[in-house]
Amino acid sequence: MTFLLATSLAAQQNDTLPNKDAIFHRPFILEGERGNLTAAVGGYLEANTNYFATDGVSEGFSMEMRRFNIFLYSTLMERIKFISELEFEHGAEEIALETALLDFEVMPELVFRAGIVLVPLGYFNQNHDSPKWDFIDRPLVSTTLIPATYSDVGFGLHGTVSLGGASLTYETCLLNGLQDGILANEQGRTFLPGGKNEERFGEDNNGSPSVAGRIALKKRKLGEVGISSFAGYFNTFKVDGLTIDEKRKVVVLALDYNFSIQKLKVLGEAALVRVDVPEALGQAFGKKQWGIHADLIYPVWKGNLLKWKDLQLNAAFRFEWVDYNVGEFDETGKNIGDDVAAIVPGISLRFSPSTLLRVNYRYRWDTDLAGNPPARTAGFQFGFASYF
């Protein structure tokens, strides 16, 4: 078996590839395939600084090694691929096996996938590698509603159908699904990331698989738009055959977009969440949530600097909004709060498509459940991210 360690990206990113194939669109694979690789190792790392103040109160300056991820890839035989990702967050504070799957390609239009998969929900979840993004923090809608990165044990089908100058992609899979932590969490609100119990990799807590799917249309040199959904029962409603609760469902609908207007790149996603919440929990736990983010990226300079060649300086701007509890109070008819808005201007300097430095200024408004005047948080971040 040939072993290859790829340390650089030899070609610019291919915008003709659909988001569905993002896990294989990584430098160590793209470089290795030029040498007819059978196995490869790669990864990425990111680190940053933080200085934030909320209503004038700050905890000061800090630094963090946010992620160090290792990829393993192998072409086991013709039309059978293996890929995995092991993630180390905040040094080694959190260690997780994020992906470990096999793809069996019958034809490009029909591929069977099984293992620990990145759930096809939205754009970001499958395309979240830090070196691809000009922002340090991940979008709120993508991490607190979707909730990326969300991987699960499952199996399903995916494929690409050529439509001349465009391509139609689809993905669908059965999963163990999110679990009780959607409501039983430390956040004190409906919070989908709390449902990512580690036990889901070993068994389903209720014996009822969840289903997820995404369909997208990509036009060459223009962009891609996708619609996706997730649905399943999340609570433990039976113990030893005895019914202890009603079946409670969570449903997520997402719309994502990624397109270019001349040099301007526009991308983002929106999500709508519905959760069956017991009446006994009251209105602090939202039955409906929604959010959106929009990123604008524009190259303002390309050239050489010192001994570096073909550098690119990008100007970036993000707007994001998340409402964790859509509705009105039964008693007063007033709007329920618990929402967040943020703007993030920034710049990034790309040494290559796989390595960049970035600076962000973040201004955020947090409104509490009662709708009081929002807490205002502002601060700067500086960091880097790179594939290897």
Side-chain angles (χ1 to χ4, degrees), residues 178-198:
L178 298 169
Q179 302 193 2
D180 296 277
I182 288 179
L183 300 178
N185 57 65
E186 297 178 353
Q187 302 291 324
R189 63 156 66 110
T190 302
F191 191 60
L192 266 62
K196 297 190 296 183
N197 191 315
E198 291 182 2

Side-chain angles (χ1 to χ4, degrees), residues 317-338:
F317 182 83
R318 169 179 290 168
F319 167 78
E320 53 187 338
W321 165 272
V322 176
D323 190 340
Y324 295 108
N325 199 330
V326 178
E328 300 175 343
F329 287 109
D330 294 335
E331 297 83 359
T332 64
K334 293 184 178 180
N335 184 62
I336 300 174
D338 202 7

Side-chain angles (χ1 to χ4, degrees), residues 74-91:
S74 180
T75 303
L76 303 182
M77 58 185 299
E78 186 178 1
R79 293 182 293 154
I80 300 180
K81 297 179 180 180
F82 161 82
I83 192 167
S84 68
E85 179 178 355
L86 182 63
E87 180 177 63
F88 299 82
E89 287 195 2
H90 306 292

Side-chain angles (χ1 to χ4, degrees), residues 64-76:
E64 62 173 326
M65 185 69 187
R66 187 167 286 188
R67 291 179 184 88
F68 177 75
N69 291 23
I70 298 174
F71 306 139
L72 298 175
Y73 169 84
S74 180
T75 303
L76 303 182

Side-chain angles (χ1 to χ4, degrees), residues 79-335:
R79 293 182 293 154
I80 300 180
K81 297 179 180 180
F82 161 82
I83 192 167
S84 68
E85 179 178 355
L86 182 63
E87 180 177 63
F88 299 82
E89 287 195 2
H90 306 292
E93 182 179 335
E94 298 180 27
I95 302 175
L97 183 60
E98 194 163 276
T99 311
L101 62 84
L102 285 175
D103 265 2
F104 300 82
E105 182 182 326
V106 179
M107 60 185 72
E109 296 84 3
L110 182 63
V111 184
F112 175 72
R113 171 171 291 175
I116 297 178
V117 303
L118 285 169
V119 179
L121 184 57
Y123 177 87
F124 181 87
N125 196 50
Q126 295 173 299
N127 210 354
H128 61 266
D129 293 355
S130 295
K132 294 182 178 181
W133 293 80
D134 293 79
F135 298 93
I136 292 173
D137 284 346
R138 294 176 167 182
L140 289 171
V141 63
S142 307
T143 53
T144 62
L145 296 191
I146 294 282
T149 49
Y150 174 31
S151 55
D152 208 338
V153 177
F155 62 89
L157 301 172
H158 67 93
T160 302
V161 179
S162 178
L163 301 174
S167 61
L168 180 71
T169 62
Y170 73 91
E171 304 162 83
T172 183
C173 57
L174 289 177
L175 313 156
N176 278 342
L178 298 169
Q179 302 193 2
D180 296 277
I182 288 179
L183 300 178
N185 57 65
E186 297 178 353
Q187 302 291 324
R189 63 156 66 110
T190 302
F191 191 60
L192 266 62
K196 297 190 296 183
N197 191 315
E198 291 182 2
E199 294 179 0
R200 73 187 186 280
F201 293 123
E203 63 178 346
D204 194 336
N205 66 322
N206 53 35
S208 298
S210 298
V211 62
R214 180 177 181 268
I215 186 169
L217 181 66
K218 185 174 182 67
K219 179 70 173 178
R220 188 175 181 179
K221 295 183 179 180
L222 180 59
E224 181 180 59
V225 60
I227 299 174
S228 52
S229 65
F230 171 94
Y233 298 113
F234 66 89
N235 64 318
T236 303
F237 51 80
K238 277 190 177 182
V239 175
D240 297 329
L242 180 65
T243 300
I244 61 172
D245 194 6
E246 299 178 12
K247 294 182 178 180
R248 303 195 181 278
K249 180 178 287 188
V250 55
V251 176
V252 185
L253 301 175
L255 169 69
D256 60 82
Y257 52 91
N258 183 349
F259 60 91
S260 298
I261 305 174
Q262 295 184 348
K263 293 183 178 181
L264 177 66
K265 185 175 183 180
V266 182
L267 70 157
E269 58 190 0
L272 173 67
V273 177
R274 290 188 177 274
V275 180
D276 289 338
V277 178
E279 295 297 332
L281 288 180
Q283 291 188 273
F285 290 79
K287 297 180 180 180
K288 180 180 178 181
Q289 303 175 320
W290 83 277
I292 188 171
H293 89 91
D295 292 358
L296 306 177
I297 313 295
Y298 190 84
V300 295
W301 174 80
K302 290 183 179 181
N304 303 328
L305 180 65
L306 301 177
K307 294 184 178 181
W308 288 300
K309 296 182 179 181
D310 300 323
L311 275 66
Q312 179 171 304
L313 182 68
N314 290 337
F317 182 83
R318 169 179 290 168
F319 167 78
E320 53 187 338
W321 165 272
V322 176
D323 190 340
Y324 295 108
N325 199 330
V326 178
E328 300 175 343
F329 287 109
D330 294 335
E331 297 83 359
T332 64
K334 293 184 178 180
N335 184 62

